[in-house]
Amino acid sequence: MFETTSAAHYRNFYENAPVGQLILSGSGMVLYANAQAALLLGVAAGDLPGCSIFDQVGAEDLLLLKSRMSRLCSTNEPHTLELRIRKAAGAVFWARLDLFRLPVDSTGCTVGAIMVDISDRVHMELFAGLSSEILGILNSPGNFSEAIRGILLRLKEFTRADAVGIRLQQGDDFPYIHHDGFGGDFLLKENSLVAHDPEGGVCRNPDGSICLECTCGLVLSGKTDPSHPLFTSGGSCWTNNTFPLLDLPESEDPRFHPRNNCIHEGFGSVALVPIKAQGRIIGIMQFNGYEKSLFCKSEIIALEGIAAHVGEVLLLKQKEDELHCGKLQLESANEDLDAFAGSVAHDLQNSIVVIQGFADLLSTQDGVATDAICSEYLSRILELTKSVSAQIRALLTYARLSKTALVRKQIDVNGVIARVIDELAQLHPDMDIAFTIQPGMTALSDEALFFHIMQNLIGNAWKFTLFCEHPAVAIGTEEIEGELTFFVHDNGAGFDMALAGKLFRPFERLHSKSQFAGSGFGLYAIRRIIEKHGGRIWAESQPQRGATFFFTLPEASGN
């Protein structure tokens, strides 16, 4: 009775042990397996006998297991291995396998194996090494953007993901700054996360913030629920089987406007890890795999640590860039100030000398001069005082514009152009210019400053087509080197490109005042406005064949 009871106890202990226990033949055939071993391998316990343990082991570890099994059977020496094992569904986990020979009456070799899932520990160790490697990349000198791309590709390799991307905040949106493995159509649909209403307007939350769509938007908004199995306490979202999300009732779906494009592309596993800096979410790292069961929670937590490093360095880099940009702006402003001071001093001094000269001539006429001579002298004096007055007005305008705080918002570019043309038409009712204007243009810009840009560029086009038989001006956008670019083209006087370097300097003129009026300050002022937006301006022209002015405004929407 005691022996029978003891055998039952041993069998119960074996079956319900919290570790996987298997009995194997020397050739790797499973003779017996307990419930935990079946659970680890993802099969029913009754289906394991007769299967080969070698079929469950990854190719990179298979030779090692076979050699240790062979040595065990020949020497009775126990072995402990750490190796990758594949579940029936395809997911891979790290296991510690303790192998020992069983003393059974048999002519062959019978092996006992204890199997423990050590994925969490192995992943933490592997990711600790990866974190050190990534920190080294982040802190090394060189192109920061290329460093981020290199890190992304390294993480893709490490996580075995098929597609990866990094989104970073730009204005109110979070476009991809780097990606690998996503198709062009996917990126076209997914690059922007900003939600729009049926009329095309931007959707906003009750607090006034922009609504961001789908799962990426949920993570970036920081609205994840850590009690939900899809989310971690660190704000990440991950799943090893995306497809049930397609059937999620709207009342149970925490996402705003779920698109499910990742699922429609066939990605079975998805992980979205927030990039944080000083407690604020500034982007996400995205990992997509076609294979189900690609990730484990310990990997996601480790990726959160790496994302935190990236966020800290990004913030530091941003501050360095701001300091560097400020230094460059100060140097540029000082250069402009030197050129400006010299130019103004020269022009004003010349004007004052000429005014003084004519005034002296008038004072020495002693009543002998004719009315015609006096009238000529007075006319020249008035002309010069108007020139000085125009220069002073230009200085005051620039001072006002330079102090104006930049307030970006979505503006109707075509509406601004219409206002400018209407003003010019009232000032010059005799001019008949054929305008070609691209419809539907918008921009993310300061409206008052954008008006000044267009007022100057269209005004110049209007002025320099004065002597054209059929004056024409075209305004629109085009993509140049991947960047949305506005242009204003005219068929007027044009200029020699050899003189283009003077074009955007203060009080520099490429045409004489007798040909075309102006202070020579307008293009310099709009150059500074565009630079204030983070953009650039340039021109292309040929004498008597018109000119085209191009400028960019980062984050401009286009059409």
Side-chain angles (χ1 to χ4, degrees):
M1 181 67 181
F2 177 75
E3 290 181 359
T4 303
T5 302
S6 296
H9 284 168
Y10 282 128
R11 177 173 290 277
N12 187 48
F13 173 77
Y14 172 82
E15 285 290 348
N16 297 292
V19 296
Q21 299 191 55
L22 303 101
I23 299 175
L24 309 171
S25 70
S27 62
M29 177 139 341
V30 178
L31 303 176
Y32 202 85
N34 73 346
Q36 183 63 19
L39 182 65
L40 288 172
L41 294 171
V43 296
D47 293 340
L48 273 175
C51 297
S52 173
I53 191 65
F54 297 148
D55 292 339
Q56 309 296 126
V57 177
E60 52 273 86
D61 298 319
L62 184 56
L63 288 178
L64 175 64
L65 177 60
K66 286 183 175 181
S67 67
R68 296 300 171 86
M69 289 269 290
S70 176
R71 188 185 302 175
L72 170 63
C73 288
S74 60
T75 65
N76 292 335
E77 177 187 353
H79 293 280
T80 297
L81 306 175
E82 293 185 356
L83 68 172
R84 283 149 287 197
I85 293 181
R86 185 174 295 275
K87 293 177 180 282
V92 175
F93 69 98
W94 279 90
R96 189 186 75 236
L97 209 59
D98 294 307
L99 302 174
F100 51 92
R101 187 162 183 174
L102 292 174
V104 296
D105 296 330
S106 173
T107 55
C109 175
T110 305
V111 176
I114 297 176
M115 181 186 295
V116 179
D117 187 341
I118 59 168
S119 297
D120 287 351
R121 176 181 65 79
V122 172
H123 285 141
M124 293 304 289
E125 291 173 354
L126 292 173
F127 272 97
L130 181 63
S131 294
S132 297
E133 179 185 342
I134 286 173
L135 278 173
I137 295 172
L138 286 171
N139 293 317
S140 61
N143 186 289
F144 185 72
S145 179
E146 287 303 311
I148 292 293
R149 177 166 180 79
I151 288 168
L152 187 66
L153 295 177
R154 182 72 181 89
L155 288 172
K156 180 185 178 188
E157 175 188 12
F158 197 87
T159 59
R160 309 176 307 283
D162 295 294
V164 291
I166 288 183
R167 293 180 180 269
L168 286 182
Q169 187 169 11
Q170 291 184 9
D172 291 320
D173 211 345
F174 291 81
Y176 289 105
I177 63 159
H178 289 298
H179 51 81
D180 188 83
F182 293 115
D185 289 342
F186 177 88
L187 292 170
L188 190 64
K189 291 182 285 188
E190 284 294 304
N191 196 48
S192 175
L193 295 174
V194 175
H196 293 86
D197 59 30
E199 287 73 38
V202 174
C203 297
R204 293 187 178 273
N205 296 307
D207 62 0
S209 61
I210 300 291
C211 289
L212 302 176
E213 293 186 337
C214 207
T215 318
C216 286
L218 185 67
V219 173
L220 286 163
S221 301
K223 297 178 180 178
T224 56
D225 178 5
S227 65
H228 194 286
L230 283 175
F231 308 116
T232 70
S233 59
S236 297
C237 174
W238 70 290
T239 176
N240 279 325
N241 185 5
T242 62
F243 301 106
L245 293 175
L246 290 173
D247 302 320
L248 194 65
E250 185 176 345
S251 60
E252 299 176 18
D253 197 332
R255 300 172 296 172
F256 184 75
H257 289 181
R259 301 169 176 174
N260 293 321
N261 284 324
C262 288
I263 307 173
H264 296 315
E265 289 285 321
F267 293 114
S269 300
V270 173
L272 303 170
V273 181
I275 300 172
K276 299 179 181 179
Q278 295 184 345
R280 184 172 64 88
I281 299 174
I282 61 171
I284 54 171
M285 296 194 302
Q286 180 174 351
F287 304 88
N288 287 23
Y290 292 112
E291 180 183 319
K292 292 182 183 179
S293 303
L294 188 63
F295 309 112
C296 65
K297 189 171 183 179
S298 60
E299 281 184 310
I300 305 304
I301 293 171
L303 286 169
E304 287 175 348
I306 290 173
H309 292 320
V310 171
E312 290 168 4
V313 175
L314 276 171
L315 188 64
L316 182 62
K317 180 66 177 175
Q318 182 182 12
K319 290 180 178 178
E320 289 176 354
D321 287 346
E322 287 172 356
L323 285 172
H324 181 64
C325 184
K327 181 183 176 184
L328 292 178
Q329 287 177 347
L330 182 60
E331 290 174 352
S332 175
N334 286 336
E335 289 176 5
D336 287 342
L337 187 60
D338 289 342
F340 172 79
S343 177
V344 170
H346 181 267
D347 285 358
L348 292 179
Q349 179 65 29
N350 283 348
S351 298
I352 290 170
V353 167
V354 175
I355 290 171
Q356 185 177 10
F358 281 114
D360 288 342
L361 286 171
L362 280 174
S363 67
T364 57
Q365 292 305 305
D366 296 327
V368 178
T370 65
D371 288 343
I373 293 174
C374 290
S375 179
E376 172 66 18
Y377 289 169
L378 287 171
S379 176
R380 297 290 297 275
I381 289 172
L382 286 172
E383 182 182 332
L384 289 165
T385 55
K386 286 179 182 179
S387 175
V388 171
S389 179
Q391 288 176 320
I392 292 171
R393 283 199 305 273
L395 290 175
L396 291 173
T397 300
Y398 175 69
R400 176 175 54 81
L401 292 172
S402 64
K403 291 178 181 178
T404 302
L406 193 67
V407 181
R408 286 183 187 266
K409 66 176 184 179
Q410 202 75 17
I411 63 172
D412 175 8
V413 170
N414 294 71
V416 171
I417 292 170
R419 285 167 50 204
V420 171
I421 293 174
D422 184 59
E423 284 188 7
L424 290 169
Q426 292 182 41
L427 291 172
H428 309 282
D430 296 333
M431 285 286 287
D432 184 15
I433 298 178
F435 279 94
T436 302
I437 302 170
Q438 178 181 316
M441 291 184 289
T442 61
L444 190 64
S445 173
D446 184 292
E447 186 165 8
L449 296 180
F450 191 86
F451 179 85
H452 192 82
I453 293 170
M454 283 301 180
Q455 186 182 50
N456 189 280
L457 292 179
I458 298 173
N460 279 353
W462 194 294
K463 176 169 62 178
F464 289 107
T465 56
L466 180 64
F467 303 113
C468 290
E469 185 178 356
H470 301 291
V473 175
I475 307 169
T477 64
E478 61 182 278
E479 188 171 307
I480 298 177
E481 297 179 356
E483 190 173 21
L484 184 72
T485 304
F486 292 91
F487 67 83
V488 177
H489 170 75
D490 67 70
N491 64 343
F495 59 87
D496 186 346
M497 286 297 290
L499 303 174
K502 295 183 176 183
L503 205 57
F504 300 102
R505 295 177 187 169
F507 296 113
E508 290 280 6
R509 301 176 54 87
L510 303 190
H511 302 85
S512 68
K513 288 184 180 180
S514 61
Q515 287 180 290
F516 301 101
S519 66
F521 197 76
L523 288 176
Y524 168 72
I526 67 168
R527 188 200 99 196
R528 298 310 299 263
I529 292 172
I530 290 167
E531 288 175 347
K532 195 171 185 177
H533 280 77
R536 59 195 180 97
I537 183 169
W538 70 98
E540 296 175 0
S541 180
Q542 291 185 35
Q544 306 308 317
R545 293 193 177 184
T548 305
F549 284 80
F550 302 91
F551 67 94
T552 64
L553 298 175
E555 302 172 12
S557 298
N559 54 7

